[in-house]
Each structure stands twice: as C-alpha cells, then as structure tokens.
C-alpha cells in the first residue's frame, strides 16, 4: 500500500473536523441564541407587568387619581424608577377619561392617552398589547387602578418601544457573533492539532486505506494453504490464520494467548522459536515448520512460524506444469491493475481526490461482487487464481463471466490433480474467449461455467456465446496440431485436454450451434487414488 501525502490525509481529516465542529457550534449557538432572546423578551414582559401592577396597587397612585393630579414626590419617585430600568421606555398613569396624570415626558401630562388600546383596562382587565404611542410602536402592559369598592378609577401603562427591544436583541446577536468567531478559531486550532496527531498515529495513511488494507491482508492471510502463526518473545501465540487452525485442530480464539509449545514442538522436543533452522520437521509427522524472527528497529519483537503440510507440499510440486495458464492469468490481472492505477494517477494529478475515492470504492465494490462467488465456491487456491485471472482478462474484453451457484471444487480434488484441472479449465476458458472474440456481428458476449464436485463425480462445463462450430470442426478438434486459425504452433490445447480426460476415464460432450455458441461438458466418475494414496484416504476420513 502506497503512503499518501499530507494533502490526502491531513486536509481531509482537518476538513471533516472543522465541518463537524462548525455544525455542532452552529447548532449550539442557534439553540442558545433562541433561548436567550426568548428569555430577554420574557424578562422584559415580567418587568413591565410587575411595575404596572405594583404602581396600580399603590395607595399614593390611587390618591393621585382621586385628586386628579400627581404629587411632586410621586413624579420624582417614578422618574428615578424609570431611570434605573433600561428596558423601560414609557410609563403612564391616566384617569378613566384617559387623561394622563403622569407621563415619562412631563410636557405630555394632561394630554389624552395615545394608542386606543386602553378600553379593556378601563373595564377592569390587565393585559399585554402592541400599539403605536407617542414614542412609536410599543410593547405595553395595562393594569387597572381600583378604589376600595373595586371601582376602576384609572389605569397604569408600562411599556418599552419595539426599537429598544430590537436594540437589546442586536446586542445579544453581536455578543454571540463574537463568541462564534472565538469558538470557531478554537475549533480550527483543535482540528489542526487533532489532524496532526491522527496523521502521526496513522503514519500518513488514511483511515479508509488502513481498513481496506487490513481486510485484504486478513483475507489473503486466511487464503494461504500454509499455517501462519505470530508468537511474541515469550512464545505465546498472538495471531493464527485459518490454515494453522486446521493444522493444530483449534480455533484462533482458543489458540491466541496460549504457548505454541502446547500444540507443536520441533522433532527433538525443543521450542520451535528457539530453533535456528529454516525448515525442520516437528513432532507432528505431517507438518514442517519455519521460524522467522520478526525484527522492529533492529530488535527481535517475536517470531513468525510458518507451518507446511508435507503432503500438501508434495502435491504443490506437481502443479508446476500448469504455469502457462497461471502466468497468462497473472499477466491479465497485472494489466487490469495497471490500467486502474493510471486512472487513479490521472485523477490525483488533477487534484480530484473525491473522484479518486469514489473510483476506488466503485472498483472495490465491482471487484468484490465479481470475485466473491469464485472465492466462496472454488476452494482450490491455484484453480481459483487461474479463474480470477481469466475473469479479469475476459472483463477487459467486455465478456461477462458467470459461475453457476451450484458449483463447488474442494481444496484437493479426488478426481484430478491441480495440474490437470488447470490444463483443462485453462484451455476451455481460452477457447471460449477466442470464440466470442471471433464474432463479427455484435451480440451476446457471455461465458457460463460450472465446476461441481461431489461423491458421485466431477463436472466441468463451459458454455459460450461465440461463433460456434460445425460438425466437421468438432470431428477434428482433438487432433494434434489442428487449429481453426491455421496458425503454426497452435492446436495442442484440445489435444492435451482429450489425453487428460481419457487418462482419467472421463467423458467429453460438445454441443455447438454455428453462430450461437458452444458448450463443453466434461465428467469424471473415477477417483485418482494413485497420486494421493493412503495419505489422501486418511485425510478424507
């Protein structure tokens, strides 16, 4: 995995951190601002109400209304009261004829009350009202003044102008705006430091790349036929792949934390991690072990123990003859990989990192969707690798390949060796691709295959939508050197295929329709016991 630069990791994490911090800050400030403004208005209303009610119940106010004039002492008291209440704009005391006995502007005393919303108060009701007075649009509270007989003798009106209320609101907004700027600076600084810390911890890799790398490496590790065990300096198991679980007979959860010597030792009874041989036998006759020191900064930080099944190693030796198909498959896979790398390189050079990320996600999803059936149904690692390589090759040629869901091939087939499987499947796959590419007209470009193995036999079926074959071609297709292309050096694939089928007592059935396609069906019923002998039979039990 290639390490990404600061532009990919740092700025991405920084952007996410700032975005999340800003959204949280914005939501918090919006909620608290709304609450603060609502509290301000509620507090202002409570002040108006409390003052108006308090004055309307004052005996001095009642006496002034009954006398028809306010005393100088009352006027002085109300003036000082209003001066100490910044939210108070207007206070009026008026009689039942709505003639002012007191007004915050003394020159308006004796003049009629302005606004026309005092009618309900003269009927004995206390309430809030919005109306236009001498100082403009106001928020008012009316409280009636009653004598000892509960007869209305006047009213008290306390109000604040809407413009003054809006000014208080603007002051709150300015305070919150300043706070938002301060918190934004703190959030950006915190995100910056967090991004640097994350970049240092992740060694410059993005979290997405680390997750993908872990999943792929874990999948690769569990796909290995060799057992891979990581032990610490004390000999305790820290990690074990699927193959080692099968070899040692215990699941990974049970193995981790246990001493490796509990399950396996070298043939002399010593600890495997103390052995200085590269490859040595163990006290389990079927297993070979290799111990590799795990060094970190020139210090041994544990050991990697690789377990190999002896019988498996012997089987692997005979698979070398099928390298032609494996190399071809790997070459196709490498070509497809390079194409995708070039696309990513171009997107990154254009600074289109989002498009590059989307392209990686798309390719990964398509890759996983197409590969999963093969990885799940074909347990033979080399055959699966061959099919995946051919699948990539076919995909580049716009050929759709489908593995039927009832397919299954075990890790070691009892009917054919891996070499024979690779030879048969590789030749059938190549012939299907060539037949489709030989079409002149545009039509279906599909390959359907089935590889099914059970106790009754092994079925290999390839069906393509290629040019098909006439009966005359079918009669000669298995002759050595025969080729429909007439090229020198060709015509040996089907010849070898028939020899393998005949040697293993299998049958070949060809169903072809010129212009529409061909289906090859190969069936084996007899198990190949000569290769595996007693070792194979014991494993099958």
């Amino acid at each position: 995995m290639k390490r990404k630069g600061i532009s990919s990791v740092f700025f991405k994490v920084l952007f996410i951190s700032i975005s999340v911090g800003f959204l949280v800050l914005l939501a918090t400030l919006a909620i608290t601002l709304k609450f603060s403004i609502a509290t301000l208005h509620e507090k202002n209303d409570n002040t108006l109400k409390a003052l108006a009610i308090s004055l309307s119940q004052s005996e001095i106010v009642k006496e002034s209304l009954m006398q028809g004039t306010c005393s100088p002492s009352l006027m002085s008291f109300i003036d000082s009261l209003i001066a100490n209440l910044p939210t108070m704009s207007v206070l009026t005391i008026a009689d039942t004829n709505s003639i002012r006995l007191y007004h915050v502007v003394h020159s308006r005393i004796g003049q009629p009350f302005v606004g026309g919303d005092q009618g309900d108060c003269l009927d004995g009701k206390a309430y809030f009202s919005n109306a236009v007075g001498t100082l403009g649009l106001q928020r008012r509270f009316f409280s009636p003044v009653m004598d000892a007989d509960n007869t209305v003798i006047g009213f008290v009106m306390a109000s604040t102008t809407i413009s003054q209320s809006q000014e208080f609101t603007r002051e709150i907004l300015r305070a919150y705006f300043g706070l938002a700027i301060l918190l934004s600076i703190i959030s950006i600084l915190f995100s910056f430091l967090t991004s640097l810390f994350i970049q240092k911890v992740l060694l410059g890799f993005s979290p997405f790349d680390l997750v993908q790398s872990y999943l792929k490496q874990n999948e690769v590790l569990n796909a290995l036929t060799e057992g891979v065990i990581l032990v610490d300096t004390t000999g305790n198991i820290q990690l074990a792949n699927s193959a080692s679980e099968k070899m040692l007979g215990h699941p990974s959860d049970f193995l981790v934390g246990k001493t490796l010597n509990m399950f396996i030792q070298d043939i002399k009874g010593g600890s495997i991690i103390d052995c200085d041989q590269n490859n040595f036998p163990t006290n389990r006759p079927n297993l070979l072990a290799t111990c590799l020191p795990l060094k970190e900064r020139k210090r041994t930080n544990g050991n990697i123990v690789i377990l190999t099944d002896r019988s498996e190693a012997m089987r692997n030796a005979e698979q070398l003859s099928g390298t032609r198909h494996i190399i071809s498959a790997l070459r196709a896979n490498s070509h497809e990989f390079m194409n995708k790398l070039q696309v990513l390189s171009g997107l990154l050079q254009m600074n289109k990192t989002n498009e590059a990320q989307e392209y990686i996600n798309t390719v990964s999803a398509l890759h996983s969707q197409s590969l999963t059936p093969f990885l799940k149904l074909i347990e033979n690692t080399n055959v699966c690798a061959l099919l995946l390589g051919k699948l990539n090759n076919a995909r580049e040629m716009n050929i759709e390949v489908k593995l039927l869901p009832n397919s299954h091939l075990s890790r070691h087939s009892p009917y054919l060796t891996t070499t024979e499987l690779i030879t048969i499947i590789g030749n059938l796959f190549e012939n299907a691709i060539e037949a489709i590419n030989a079409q002149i007209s545009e039509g279906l470009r599909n390959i359907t295959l089935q590889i099914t193995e059970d106790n009754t036999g092994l079925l290999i079926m390839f069906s393509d939508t290629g040019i098909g074959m006439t009966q005359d071609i079918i009669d000669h297709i298995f002759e050595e050197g025969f080729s429909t292309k007439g090229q020198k050096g060709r015509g040996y694939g089907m010849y070898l295929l028939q020899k393998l089928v005949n040697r293993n007592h299998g049958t070949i059935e060809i169903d072809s329709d010129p212009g529409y396609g061909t289906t090859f069906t190969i069936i084996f019923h007899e198990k190949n016991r000569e290769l595996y002998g007693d070792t194979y039979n014991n494993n099958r039990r």
Side-chain angles (χ1 to χ4, degrees), residues 503-518:
R503 188 172 67 192
N504 290 278
H505 309 289
T507 61
I508 304 177
E509 180 179 345
I510 303 176
D511 183 14
S512 185
D513 190 358
Y516 293 94
T518 302

Side-chain angles (χ1 to χ4, degrees), residues 377 403-409 449-453 459 461:
L377 302 176
L403 177 66
L404 294 182
N406 57 344
S407 297
H408 175 261
L409 182 64
L449 62 125
Q450 178 182 355
I451 305 174
T452 303
E453 176 191 281
L459 168 69
M461 185 275 292

Side-chain angles (χ1 to χ4, degrees), residues 481-540:
F482 175 81
S483 173
T484 57
K485 296 182 179 299
Q487 298 177 359
K488 186 177 181 180
R490 296 182 61 90
Y492 293 94
M494 299 306 294
Y495 167 75
L496 293 175
L497 184 147
Q498 187 188 43
K499 287 188 64 177
L500 289 175
V501 172
N502 292 339
R503 188 172 67 192
N504 290 278
H505 309 289
T507 61
I508 304 177
E509 180 179 345
I510 303 176
D511 183 14
S512 185
D513 190 358
Y516 293 94
T518 302
T519 299
F520 282 84
T521 305
I522 303 177
I523 301 176
F524 300 92
H525 290 293
E526 296 186 16
K527 296 183 179 180
N528 187 343
R529 299 183 181 274
E530 294 180 2
L531 176 62
Y532 298 98
D534 293 337
T535 300
Y536 176 79
N537 293 328
N538 291 334
N539 291 338
R540 292 291 287 180

Side-chain angles (χ1 to χ4, degrees), residues 107-218:
S107 61
R108 294 174 182 170
I109 294 176
Q111 296 178 3
F113 181 81
V114 177
D117 52 342
Q118 73 275 20
D120 291 337
C121 185
L122 293 175
D123 291 335
K125 297 179 181 179
Y127 54 90
F128 282 100
S129 173
N130 292 332
V132 177
T134 54
L135 297 181
L137 183 60
Q138 302 170 8
R139 173 70 169 170
R140 298 174 165 181
F141 183 80
F142 289 88
S143 179
V145 180
M146 299 182 181
D147 59 12
D149 298 329
N150 287 330
T151 301
V152 176
I153 59 175
F155 63 87
V156 176
M157 188 278 295
S159 71
T160 183
T161 60
I162 299 300
S163 61
Q164 186 176 14
S165 178
Q166 291 175 345
E167 179 60 29
F168 287 131
T169 301
R170 283 192 290 269
E171 289 181 3
I172 294 178
L173 289 174
R174 284 193 291 269
Y176 269 82
F177 181 74
L179 180 61
I181 293 177
L182 177 61
L183 293 179
S184 297
I185 294 174
I186 295 175
S187 176
I188 293 173
L189 181 60
F190 176 78
S191 300
F192 178 81
L193 296 176
T194 302
S195 301
L196 288 179
F197 175 75
I198 293 176
Q199 185 188 20
K200 182 178 180 180
V201 170
L202 299 182
L203 302 178
F205 296 109
S206 71
F208 175 81
D209 287 336
L210 286 178
V211 172
Q212 293 299 314
S213 176
Y214 169 78
L215 294 177
K216 290 178 181 178
Q217 291 178 15
N218 190 59

Side-chain angles (χ1 to χ4, degrees), residues 256-313:
V256 173
K258 304 292 193 308
T259 303
L260 182 60
N261 285 342
M262 293 175 56
F263 309 99
I264 190 171
Q265 298 177 343
D266 70 55
I267 197 170
K268 299 178 181 179
S271 174
I272 287 180
I273 64 173
D274 294 332
C275 188
D276 57 358
Q277 301 179 45
N278 289 331
N279 199 316
F280 53 91
T282 67
N283 60 346
R284 296 194 179 198
N286 63 317
L287 293 182
L288 294 174
T290 301
C291 185
L292 304 175
L294 182 63
K295 294 187 179 294
E296 182 179 352
R297 297 180 180 178
K298 299 182 179 181
R299 294 177 56 186
T300 301
N301 197 27
N303 295 272
I304 298 176
V305 178
I306 300 176
L307 302 179
T308 305
D309 192 327
R310 280 177 136 183
S311 57
E312 180 70 16

Side-chain angles (χ1 to χ4, degrees), residues 47 64 66 84 94 181 213 233 265 286 325 410 416 451 505 524:
T47 301
S64 298
M66 286 185 290
N84 293 320
I181 293 177
S213 176
T233 54
Q265 298 177 343
N286 63 317
H325 295 295
S410 62
L416 295 175
I451 305 174
H505 309 289
F524 300 92

